[in-house]
Amino acid sequence: MNTSILAKFKLSYGEFKLDVDLSLPNSGITVLFGHSGSGKTTLLRCIAGLQHAPEGFLSINGVIWQDSTKHLFIPTYQRALGYVFQEASLFAHLNVNENLHYGLKRLKNSVDTIQKESIIQLLGISHLMARMPDNLSGGERQRVAIARALVLNPQILLMDEPLASLDWERKQEVLPFLIRLNQQLKIPVLYVTHSKQEMAQLADYLVLMSQGKVDATGRLAQTLSRVNLPLAQDRQASCVWDVCVAQHDSVDYLTQVAFSGGRLYLPMIHLEIGDTLRIQIFARDVSITLDISTQTSILNILPATIVDIYHDEMGQSVVSLNVGEHTLLAHITQKSAVFLDLSVGKSVFVQIKGTSILN
């Protein structure tokens, strides 16, 4: 991991205490994930300078924005950052184009026209430029808010639950644009959410928080598969794989996707051959067998190796497996784990129900 963000903060108010010490990557989306009250937004506000932690150190790409030991604190307006809030907070008396230009006058150099146009195209808002905020949907307002933050040419983009105020349909409208940003942006993004769907679809790197502290950090796939973490033991536990569309079967309405280690059958996906996508496989939809069964409705049967097992107090076993270069979780009963004599290093087969895989 190429580290560009060093963030260390301590603060307290009332019964809440924030105590974090993080080294984060300089590209992709880092998701700060946890329940409400875990300290995610407080941490983001400290990074933005909106909250001044009495003990703190913050360095972005080698530029120090805070060092309490040297009484250094760069105010928010002097930090090269973009911030997207839960609500779009657009200026109601300005149209979209004017909203995008509002913050530019504080920049020393005028914004690159090519960069601005690429951001507008990337977020699909070129047809909205003359509209007033009241004539935009919730999803359109958030896309404009993201564009307004990006035209400032920030060194880092901070996003505080930007989809929280949207209904399900509007979230599905905005998510593809966020995924596109992830693929094309060259700046780090810190994204706060308590939504497992957003975390699974967007994160490259994951920071798990609770009660003002960091429980775990790491690349998304590796962190999700850590069997000793509550996230892997939860009923909604899952793993994510980045795969490539390999083949379409128009007769059986199936799509084959390829990954290092094999192929999976999924219900038909309307993407081109060679396109990449991220799929989410829930642990509850994975079963383990010692032999390949031919008398089954499940099409996806893959060789795997057990890398870790955790037995909880409720009779459940959480099994982490390697399938090629990918990691997979399976939730089974402890009775089944004993019956199959499962152990670390054992070679098995996993069965994955294709209709349960999300993309």
Side-chain angles (χ1 to χ4, degrees), residues 8 97 166 333 335 359:
K8 185 175 183 178
N97 188 54
L166 305 181
T333 64
K335 181 179 178 66
N359 61 78

mmCIF file of all heavy atoms in Angstrom, residues 8 97 166 333 335 359:
data_model
loop_
_atom_site.group_PDB
_atom_site.id
_atom_site.type_symbol
_atom_site.label_atom_id
_atom_site.label_comp_id
_atom_site.label_asym_id
_atom_site.label_seq_id
_atom_site.Cartn_x
_atom_site.Cartn_y
_atom_site.Cartn_z
ATOM 1 N N LYS A 8 -3.903 11.060 12.747
ATOM 2 C CA LYS A 8 -3.877 10.657 14.151
ATOM 3 C C LYS A 8 -4.581 11.738 14.970
ATOM 4 O O LYS A 8 -4.148 12.895 14.986
ATOM 5 C CB LYS A 8 -2.434 10.471 14.633
ATOM 6 C CG LYS A 8 -2.315 9.929 16.048
ATOM 7 C CD LYS A 8 -0.858 9.667 16.403
ATOM 8 C CE LYS A 8 -0.730 9.058 17.794
ATOM 9 N NZ LYS A 8 0.690 8.760 18.125
ATOM 10 N N ASN A 97 -24.665 25.425 -13.340
ATOM 11 C CA ASN A 97 -23.388 25.959 -13.812
ATOM 12 C C ASN A 97 -22.824 26.975 -12.833
ATOM 13 O O ASN A 97 -21.621 26.974 -12.528
ATOM 14 C CB ASN A 97 -23.566 26.598 -15.185
ATOM 15 C CG ASN A 97 -22.241 26.987 -15.807
ATOM 16 O OD1 ASN A 97 -21.328 26.170 -15.929
ATOM 17 N ND2 ASN A 97 -22.117 28.249 -16.193
ATOM 18 N N LEU A 166 -31.255 9.690 0.262
ATOM 19 C CA LEU A 166 -31.929 9.276 -0.966
ATOM 20 C C LEU A 166 -32.694 7.976 -0.775
ATOM 21 O O LEU A 166 -32.285 7.116 0.008
ATOM 22 C CB LEU A 166 -30.902 9.093 -2.092
ATOM 23 C CG LEU A 166 -29.996 10.291 -2.410
ATOM 24 C CD1 LEU A 166 -29.066 9.944 -3.568
ATOM 25 C CD2 LEU A 166 -30.808 11.523 -2.734
ATOM 26 N N THR A 333 -23.284 -24.789 9.903
ATOM 27 C CA THR A 333 -23.440 -25.164 11.307
ATOM 28 C C THR A 333 -22.170 -25.846 11.805
ATOM 29 O O THR A 333 -21.415 -26.451 11.020
ATOM 30 C CB THR A 333 -24.626 -26.125 11.504
ATOM 31 O OG1 THR A 333 -24.358 -27.345 10.813
ATOM 32 C CG2 THR A 333 -25.923 -25.502 10.978
ATOM 33 N N LYS A 335 -22.178 -28.427 13.527
ATOM 34 C CA LYS A 335 -22.412 -29.856 13.322
ATOM 35 C C LYS A 335 -21.882 -30.287 11.952
ATOM 36 O O LYS A 335 -21.220 -31.337 11.811
ATOM 37 C CB LYS A 335 -23.908 -30.172 13.433
ATOM 38 C CG LYS A 335 -24.251 -31.650 13.253
ATOM 39 C CD LYS A 335 -25.752 -31.863 13.393
ATOM 40 C CE LYS A 335 -26.115 -33.322 13.156
ATOM 41 N NZ LYS A 335 -25.569 -34.231 14.183
ATOM 42 N N ASN A 359 -24.676 -7.990 -8.236
ATOM 43 C CA ASN A 359 -23.710 -7.237 -9.034
ATOM 44 C C ASN A 359 -24.240 -5.836 -9.283
ATOM 45 O O ASN A 359 -25.382 -5.537 -9.014
ATOM 46 C CB ASN A 359 -23.438 -7.942 -10.372
ATOM 47 C CG ASN A 359 -24.675 -8.080 -11.210
ATOM 48 O OD1 ASN A 359 -25.117 -7.150 -11.852
ATOM 49 N ND2 ASN A 359 -25.279 -9.286 -11.208
#
